[in-house]
Amino acid sequence: MKEVCDLRCWDELIPDALGLIFRNLSLEEILTVIPRVCKSWRRAVMGPYCWQDIDIQEWSQSCHPAKVENMLQMLILRSSGSLRKLCVSSLTSDRSLSFIADHAKHLQNLGLPSSKISESIVEQVAVRLSNLTFLDLSYCVRIGARALEAIGNHCKFLAELRRNMHPFALLNKFSQDDEALAIASTMPKLKHLELANLLLSTDPVLAILSNCCELELLDIRGCWHVKLDNEFVKKISGLKLVGPHVVDCYEANSWDDCSDYSGTSEYLDWDFVAGGIDGDYDDAMYGGIWEDQHNIDQLDLRLYDGFDVDTDGFDWPVSH
């Protein structure tokens, strides 16, 4: 008598389940390997199921800005309005932030470190980012108090703000007290605030401590002009204060992370994905990189090669 098999084939899983599984893979694998396995897996990565959380921060740090913008738009469109978390670094145009605000109205977690977005665009789109609970604007040198005030006025659920800077980026500034005052006056619900290396004096920081009553962590490392009385700080229940006079390697690599586009990238083997939907694919691009990173000859893979490139909307490499 034959045993009844209750096992279900992987290609029969519903797209939502596949999306949850695929989120544990790297972006490279999701975009270049998974779509080549079978039709159901391809449908899963072409739809919104894998793109509620998008993190291309590491990749975008060393990629050409045009490719970052293309990749960002492609993935956001795939999310079909379901995007909840987005991390991308070094955006170079206001157009990108406007695109995010237009197509990700339910966004809750947004990281834009080292981006060259302007203050005016932040003021324009803040109202469309009203669901934000987390925002990282560290190393964004073109924004200031007006942008933070707009965020505070429209993002009433904001609980965590990162506004760290590198000292070298502040050589032409005399004070950023206006930024701290903007935070104090518009963001009373903050629980986590990072202001490392900002040019602050004591009074604006006291204003933050006075107005942000739910604050659990305040990071002011490198804000050397801030003088806080230890006894006063101890009286603030539940607050962890870091800095200003802490000598450590806080974000020691942050300036490297802020660097502009570099011609070299460990992701060059799949940069073609961000080059546009009609980009050509050259097998040589995978060359020795796959051999160095994975001994793929030892794997037994069956790759589906029946894609209709004209209708699927993406020029994937031919499977072998």
Side-chain angles (χ1 to χ4, degrees):
M1 184 174 180
K2 293 183 178 180
E3 295 183 0
V4 178
C5 182
D6 293 330
L7 296 178
R8 187 174 183 181
C9 295
W10 279 76
D11 60 354
E12 295 178 3
L13 290 176
I14 60 175
D16 303 67
L18 288 172
L20 290 173
I21 296 170
F22 294 159
R23 287 181 203 174
N24 295 302
L25 302 175
S26 68
L27 182 65
E28 177 187 3
E29 290 170 320
I30 295 175
L31 289 175
T32 64
V33 177
I34 294 301
R36 303 168 66 186
V37 175
C38 64
K39 285 183 177 180
S40 64
W41 287 23
R42 176 175 172 79
R43 283 194 295 269
V45 299
M46 291 296 291
Y49 313 102
C50 294
W51 309 114
Q52 292 184 4
D53 295 350
I54 298 175
D55 186 349
I56 56 173
Q57 182 172 332
E58 182 179 355
W59 173 78
S60 59
Q61 288 171 359
S62 54
C63 189
H64 192 283
K67 289 190 176 182
V68 173
E69 186 170 350
N70 287 340
M71 174 71 81
L72 184 65
Q73 292 184 11
M74 180 189 73
L75 298 183
I76 290 177
L77 290 176
R78 285 191 184 185
S79 73
S80 301
S82 65
L83 184 62
R84 296 293 185 272
K85 178 180 179 180
L86 173 63
C87 299
V88 58
S89 177
S90 308
L91 294 181
T92 59
S93 72
D94 289 350
R95 181 176 59 250
S96 295
L97 182 57
S98 182
F99 186 88
I100 293 169
D102 287 340
H103 295 85
K105 292 181 172 56
H106 300 291
L107 193 62
Q108 298 173 352
N109 186 313
L110 178 61
L112 302 171
S114 310
S115 294
K116 297 178 180 178
I117 52 177
S118 69
E119 194 148 56
S120 59
I121 192 61
V122 175
E123 291 179 293
Q124 293 174 30
V125 306
V127 66
R128 286 174 276 165
L129 298 171
S130 59
N131 290 310
L132 286 181
T133 60
F134 170 91
L135 179 63
D136 187 353
L137 294 174
S138 298
Y139 321 114
C140 296
V141 297
R142 295 181 61 196
I143 64 172
R146 284 169 33 216
L148 294 175
E149 184 176 5
I151 291 293
N153 286 333
H154 295 289
C155 304
K156 296 302 184 181
F157 302 108
L158 194 65
E160 181 171 350
L161 174 66
R162 295 181 183 176
R163 179 63 177 142
N164 303 308
M165 297 296 288
H166 194 282
F168 292 162
L170 304 176
L171 295 179
N172 296 323
K173 288 183 177 290
F174 296 99
S175 173
Q176 291 174 290
D177 284 349
D178 56 345
E179 293 192 24
L181 291 172
I183 293 171
S185 62
T186 63
M187 304 181 189
K189 298 294 184 181
L190 281 180
K191 295 182 178 181
H192 185 124
L193 177 60
E194 297 182 18
L195 302 173
N197 297 314
L198 261 66
L199 299 174
L200 302 178
S201 59
T202 302
D203 286 345
V205 175
L206 291 175
I208 290 175
L209 293 175
S210 176
N211 296 340
C212 302
C213 300
E214 299 181 23
L215 204 59
E216 298 174 359
L217 184 145
L218 175 61
D219 188 343
I220 52 173
R221 281 181 278 193
C223 302
W224 307 113
H225 298 294
V226 176
K227 310 294 182 183
L228 296 177
D229 181 74
N230 289 334
E231 295 302 319
F232 169 78
V233 173
K234 290 179 181 178
K235 294 179 182 179
I236 304 177
S237 177
L239 174 67
K240 179 180 180 181
L241 180 67
V242 184
H245 300 290
V246 175
V247 180
D248 65 1
C249 56
Y250 175 69
E251 295 201 7
N253 297 323
S254 59
W255 190 242
D256 294 334
D257 294 341
C258 299
S259 61
D260 291 332
Y261 161 66
S262 170
T264 61
S265 171
E266 63 178 313
Y267 294 94
L268 287 178
D269 57 323
W270 63 285
D271 275 348
F272 75 94
V273 173
I277 289 180
D278 296 324
D280 293 331
Y281 170 73
D282 183 357
D283 283 330
M285 295 174 71
Y286 276 145
I289 297 180
W290 280 111
E291 295 176 4
D292 292 338
Q293 295 179 350
H294 313 283
N295 192 353
I296 200 166
D297 292 334
Q298 297 178 1
L299 300 179
D300 181 16
L301 297 179
R302 295 182 179 181
L303 301 179
Y304 179 78
D305 60 0
F307 304 145
D308 184 350
V309 177
D310 294 332
T311 58
D312 283 336
F314 210 97
D315 189 10
W316 293 106
V318 177
S319 301
H320 297 289

